[in-house]
């Protein structure tokens, strides 16, 4: 029954991070599908998606981001919504603009690593809360993870 709980969590996490695993070919370049949730505001979801693409290396540091129009078309959203998301990401420092050349991914590797660690910490805390909700202490959860890891290695 513990394995079932872990499987259910893994499935939920997989759905939550589907933008990282659901790749498809478009125009000769690998793009990931944009699974936007109509029950949540779109622009923060776009920000999350692009942030995940940055921290996962889909968009390497210093690389040029596709145009607003291209990204909007790929995501199936209004260009104004995409523009709002990109402007917000510029405010965070993950993106920067060059007037004539477009938008680029930050080259600040420390910022990218901090962002990755923040997101990972949030995921772990959420997972621990869910496990606590079903009756597992943090220690019991860690033991379970270690047990599953050992089983997978053998």
């Amino acid at each position: 029954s513990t394995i079932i709980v872990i499987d259910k969590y893994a499935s939920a996490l997989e759905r939550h991070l589907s933008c990282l695993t659901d790749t498809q070919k478009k125009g000769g370049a690998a793009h990931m599908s944009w699974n936007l949730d109509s029950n949540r505001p779109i622009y923060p979801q776009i920000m999350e998606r692009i942030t995940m693409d940055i921290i996962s290396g889909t968009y390497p540091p210093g690389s040029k981001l596709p145009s607003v129009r291209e990204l909007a078309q790929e995501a199936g959203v209004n260009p104004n919504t995409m523009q709002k998301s990109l402007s917000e990401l510029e405010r965070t420092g993950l993106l920067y603009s060059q007037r004539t050349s477009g938008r680029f991914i930050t080259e600040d590797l420390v910022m990218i690593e901090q962002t990755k660690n923040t997101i990972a910490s949030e995921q772990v805390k959420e997972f621990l809360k869910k496990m606590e909700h079903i009756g597992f202490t943090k220690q019991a959860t860690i033991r379970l993870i270690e047990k599953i890891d050992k089983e997978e290695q053998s």
Side-chain angles (χ1 to χ4, degrees):
S1 68
T2 303
I3 300 299
I4 293 169
V5 169
I6 294 294
D7 283 346
K8 284 181 182 177
Y9 175 74
S11 296
L13 186 58
E14 198 172 288
R15 282 192 307 276
H16 186 68
L17 299 176
S18 64
C19 63
L20 293 178
T21 57
D22 190 12
T23 59
Q24 60 191 39
K25 289 283 188 179
K26 264 189 189 171
H31 292 283
M32 296 178 196
S33 67
W34 295 66
N35 299 319
L36 301 175
D37 178 357
S38 60
N39 296 322
R40 290 180 50 216
I42 299 299
Y43 94 90
Q45 291 181 71
I46 293 170
M47 289 177 64
E48 291 166 8
R49 165 58 194 275
I50 293 172
T51 299
M52 292 299 256
D53 285 351
I54 292 169
I55 66 173
S56 70
T58 300
Y59 293 127
S63 64
K64 188 177 189 304
L65 202 60
S67 72
V68 171
R69 201 169 293 289
E70 287 175 274
L71 285 170
Q73 186 175 12
E74 184 184 318
V77 300
N78 184 303
N80 294 329
T81 304
M82 184 60 69
Q83 176 64 43
K84 180 178 182 181
S85 301
L86 297 179
S87 294
E88 285 295 312
L89 283 169
E90 272 186 54
R91 285 186 347 94
T92 69
L94 281 175
L95 299 180
Y96 66 92
S97 280
Q98 288 186 337
R99 259 192 212 286
T100 56
S101 315
R103 281 192 174 90
F104 294 82
I105 308 306
T106 184
E107 295 171 27
D108 184 345
L109 300 180
V110 172
M111 174 185 272
I112 292 171
E113 195 61 31
Q114 285 173 338
T115 303
K116 183 186 286 191
N117 287 331
T118 299
I119 290 170
S121 293
E122 290 168 2
Q123 290 292 322
V124 169
K125 287 174 186 173
E126 190 176 317
F127 172 66
L128 289 172
K129 270 188 201 165
K130 288 178 181 178
M131 293 301 286
E132 191 178 325
H133 183 72
I134 61 170
F136 281 80
T137 64
K138 286 179 187 160
Q139 293 75 22
T141 301
I142 290 167
R143 283 194 302 273
L144 179 61
I145 291 169
E146 288 170 345
K147 178 181 177 239
I148 291 169
D149 184 47
K150 193 180 290 184
E151 289 169 0
E152 287 180 356
Q153 288 177 8
S154 55

